[in-house]
Amino acid sequence: MSKKISPSMDQWIKEAKAEPNAGKVGMYLFHNGTVRETAKAMVRNGASDTKPVVGMHFSYDAAKLNAAVEQARALDGIYYVRVWLNEGQLDAGDDIMYVLIGGDIRPRVIDALQFLVGKIKKECVVETELN
């Protein structure tokens, strides 16, 4: 399993705007998660004894991911959802994921993005930082 080539966000938004429900969308919001050099323990928990991250091993459960995407699509006012996840051995700076949400109004789109990215991170992926 080796890392994938990241998709084009320009292409994604072009395709999203060509979808039948595009006229109902008032906002598109992207998320691009990347491998950072600062350890999760330092960023989230304030740990000061961490080494810099040089990479990550990243994998995901496709069935769980598909279920999470379907849940996001079912949210009120959400008309477009697209997700891409990388996999394999990633280096600092590499893309981990892209998520695009399109919906009718800003609060719903922001909530849907937060819901889906949170669900992906908590339930669908395995991230192992490499020092």
Side-chain angles (χ1 to χ4, degrees), residues 97 112-125:
M97 74 174 73
L113 182 70
Q114 187 167 3
F115 165 81
L116 182 54
V117 171
K119 196 158 194 68
I120 291 168
K121 297 285 282 180
K122 290 176 190 166
E123 300 176 14
C124 305
V125 305

Side-chain angles (χ1 to χ4, degrees), residues 13-45:
I13 199 72
K14 182 178 179 181
E15 291 170 8
K17 289 180 177 183
E19 288 289 311
N21 281 332
K24 297 177 183 177
V25 175
M27 179 182 185
Y28 291 96
L29 190 58
F30 285 104
H31 167 78
N32 174 214
T34 61
V35 180
R36 68 176 172 273
E37 294 177 352
T38 309
K40 187 182 291 187
M42 179 181 255
V43 174
R44 297 198 188 266
N45 304 326

Side-chain angles (χ1 to χ4, degrees), residues 71-92:
Q71 287 179 318
R73 282 190 177 122
L75 295 171
D76 287 341
I78 301 304
Y79 297 102
Y80 192 83
V81 177
R82 188 165 180 180
V83 175
W84 172 88
L85 297 182
N86 210 335
E87 60 186 338
Q89 189 83 20
L90 308 179
D91 299 319

Side-chain angles (χ1 to χ4, degrees), residues 1-5 86-91 94:
M1 175 172 46
S2 61
K3 63 184 168 184
K4 302 175 185 175
I5 296 172
N86 210 335
E87 60 186 338
Q89 189 83 20
L90 308 179
D91 299 319
D94 282 348

